[in-house]
Amino acid sequence: MDLVTLGYYICEPAVNIYEKLKDVGNLRVSISGCLGTQHPVLTSCFWMGYLEEKETYRKKWKMDEETFCDLKKDVADIFQKHLIEVDSRFVNLEQAEYFYRKYFNNSGCMLVSVSVGKKYQEILEEEITFSGNNNCPVSWKNYDNAQEVLGCDIVGWDVSGFHSFLCNYLHLKLPEVRFNSFGLIDNQYEETEIFAKRIEGQGEPVIWIPCQIGRCR
């Protein structure tokens, strides 16, 4: 299995999302904004306006004004340097670790990597670039075998973020799929590839791509 890493996300678990996902498990690690939250949320700490959302975000993470101001400055800095995507995907692990340690370390969040087979690189590059909302180029990294493998997912890029195959309950069409305690696919990556092909053209209008989720922190 020849994998490359697309980037890194700080994922906040989501609990009991949909009734039809009760068989998947409560704790979720997802790079899809439909199923969880990826931090930092740009509408809550970077985009112009959204004053109410910013204040709610500050209070949620129990940040004082000075710390929240630091967060906004740090986000603006890496966004201008094209090191973070609009869906909160970090290009480099170093920046992701910095934000995780400084702002989200004691929050129940998890820092994860997202990796795919090399044959999916071109597809994802075209999808992300075609959307027109991408802030940074895809900067592929060699897969780090030292990471703890949490499981697999099937995702597709849609305008400004990823959908998971769970968004449309497509797991119900794949009775062989097994889930672990993270709400991720417990089958091997090669099996996940087969699942992705079987649901192609179903659900969201995206190209379904199998990915592997690794734990960085």
Side-chain angles (χ1 to χ4, degrees):
M1 180 174 59
D2 201 5
L3 297 178
V4 287
T5 297
L6 169 66
Y8 308 89
Y9 288 88
I10 299 172
C11 296
E12 179 184 359
V15 180
N16 295 324
I17 298 299
Y18 307 125
E19 177 64 22
K20 289 185 179 179
L21 295 181
K22 61 183 179 180
D23 56 329
V24 175
N26 285 332
L27 178 62
R28 310 200 195 292
V29 177
S30 180
I31 65 171
S32 170
C34 301
L35 300 176
T37 306
Q38 298 73 43
H39 296 284
V41 178
L42 299 193
T43 53
S44 301
C45 64
F46 176 62
W47 301 129
M48 295 292 289
Y50 299 98
L51 298 181
E52 184 175 343
E53 288 85 351
K54 286 182 171 64
E55 181 61 13
T56 299
Y57 198 62
R58 183 186 71 80
K59 290 180 178 178
K60 173 181 178 178
W61 298 112
K62 298 179 173 62
M63 297 182 192
D64 56 33
E65 293 289 351
E66 182 178 357
T67 302
F68 191 58
C69 185
D70 287 343
L71 172 62
K72 291 187 288 185
K73 288 179 180 177
D74 284 339
V75 172
D77 179 59
I78 63 170
F79 191 86
Q80 291 165 5
K81 292 178 179 177
H82 306 290
L83 296 175
I84 192 170
E85 184 57 272
V86 293
D87 70 327
S88 302
R89 171 174 56 86
F90 291 88
V91 172
N92 297 318
L93 180 57
E94 293 77 15
Q95 281 82 24
E97 287 183 323
Y98 168 80
F99 276 83
Y100 177 79
R101 289 194 306 267
K102 185 171 182 179
Y103 302 109
F104 304 103
N105 191 21
N106 298 316
S107 60
C109 290
M110 191 177 299
L111 175 55
V112 303
S113 64
V114 181
S115 304
V116 301
K118 282 191 173 181
K119 60 185 175 182
Y120 299 106
Q121 281 185 249
E122 186 175 346
I123 295 174
L124 274 173
E125 287 174 359
E126 290 181 356
E127 288 287 292
I128 293 173
T129 301
F130 180 76
S131 70
N133 285 327
N134 56 307
N135 173 61
C136 52
V138 179
S139 181
W140 299 97
K141 309 292 182 184
N142 292 327
Y143 177 70
D144 182 2
N145 289 306
Q147 293 177 16
E148 175 191 359
V149 177
L150 294 180
C152 295
D153 199 353
I154 302 173
V155 300
W157 182 265
D158 184 15
V159 183
S160 59
F162 282 108
H163 283 295
S164 167
F165 78 125
L166 296 176
C167 296
N168 295 117
Y169 315 123
L170 293 180
H171 66 295
L172 299 176
K173 298 179 178 291
L174 302 168
E176 304 92 340
V177 170
R178 302 187 305 272
F179 293 98
N180 59 30
S181 61
F182 299 103
L184 294 170
I185 296 173
D186 204 32
N187 303 72
Q188 296 296 312
Y189 185 83
E190 291 81 2
E191 294 179 88
T192 305
E193 282 192 283
I194 296 173
F195 298 150
K197 291 178 182 177
R198 283 171 53 185
I199 61 171
E200 192 58 54
Q202 302 182 56
E204 302 291 342
V206 298
I207 299 174
W208 292 117
I209 294 176
C211 67
Q212 181 171 287
I213 307 298
R215 184 173 190 167
C216 303
R217 291 288 183 274

